[in-house]
Amino acid sequence: MTTSTHHRTRPEVGGLRMDLLGIYLNDHLAGATAGAGRARFMARSHRDTPAAAPLRLLADEIAEDRASLLGLMRRLGVPERRYKTVAAGTAERLGRLKSNGRLLRPSPLTLVIELEFLRLGVKGKELGWRTLRSLAEADDRLDEQVLDQLIERAHRQTITLEGLRVGAARNVLLTG
């Protein structure tokens, strides 16, 4: 296919490349699915630790953020690609079976690694919201105020996760 043919056939709405935006949003939805699953799992797994309350709050917020992304996709007319979310959810559950140096019980490093994984996911989510925020002037279906709130919440989540991560790492890796 030549470049000129490609440009004539690409679907655009309000200046947005909806074909590429659909792929982008579905990739973020897959990440949100994995992140929400991991956050719920972590909140359950660490319910008897000092991290329990912040992990429960994070799990709830991450699930809400996933719902916000689905709502935004509906407003934009972007269909959910279920195969991506199913694959991401399955991969997250399989990731729980990872080798951690212990056969029958979790390694002391498990919480540190899980917090790092979740922090990376939240940072990716924040970048996704920032990308959409940069497109809001081109399409009034993207609410700048809502996106600003989602960006701020992701930033707060990153700070919370970093505090938990540093505390867990110090607890596991320092002697005495």
Side-chain angles (χ1 to χ4, degrees):
M1 179 183 303
T2 66
T3 304
S4 61
T5 302
H6 177 72
H7 287 294
R8 281 197 308 263
T9 61
R10 70 180 184 201
E12 295 180 8
V13 176
L16 296 178
R17 291 274 315 266
M18 294 306 295
D19 55 342
L20 295 177
L21 185 59
I23 293 167
Y24 182 78
L25 294 176
N26 271 286
D27 287 350
H28 272 275
L29 182 60
T33 300
R38 181 52 56 119
R40 281 190 306 272
F41 175 76
M42 289 173 64
R44 282 191 313 270
S45 298
H46 303 286
R47 67 180 163 268
D48 298 326
T49 71
L55 285 173
R56 273 194 312 273
L57 178 62
L58 283 165
D60 290 345
E61 287 183 353
I62 290 169
E64 290 171 14
D65 293 342
R66 183 183 181 281
S68 293
L69 178 56
L70 277 167
L72 188 136
M73 289 171 66
R74 279 191 294 277
R75 270 193 309 285
L76 291 171
V78 172
E80 177 184 352
R81 301 295 178 213
R82 295 271 310 143
Y83 70 91
K84 285 188 178 189
T85 56
V86 168
T90 302
E92 187 281 319
R93 287 186 296 281
L94 288 173
R96 297 175 195 173
L97 303 174
K98 69 183 177 345
S99 171
N100 62 10
R102 302 278 177 109
L103 187 58
L104 298 175
R105 59 184 194 218
S107 162
L109 284 172
T110 297
L111 179 59
V112 176
I113 299 301
E114 288 176 338
L115 289 165
E116 288 178 356
F117 172 82
L118 201 54
R119 187 180 184 283
L120 287 169
V122 168
K123 192 61 180 174
K125 172 179 62 178
E126 179 185 344
L127 294 172
W129 296 138
R130 288 183 182 281
T131 295
L132 293 172
R133 177 63 172 85
S134 74
L135 302 174
E137 291 177 17
D139 194 313
D140 61 2
R141 296 173 296 174
L142 295 170
D143 186 318
E144 294 174 355
Q145 195 170 15
V146 168
L147 289 165
D148 287 342
Q149 291 168 353
L150 290 166
I151 290 166
E152 178 55 35
R153 178 152 76 174
H155 180 71
R156 285 192 319 269
Q157 290 168 352
T158 300
I159 291 168
T160 299
L161 285 163
E162 181 61 8
L164 291 170
R165 186 193 71 77
V166 167
R170 292 178 60 81
N171 185 47
V172 169
L173 299 172
L174 287 177
T175 60

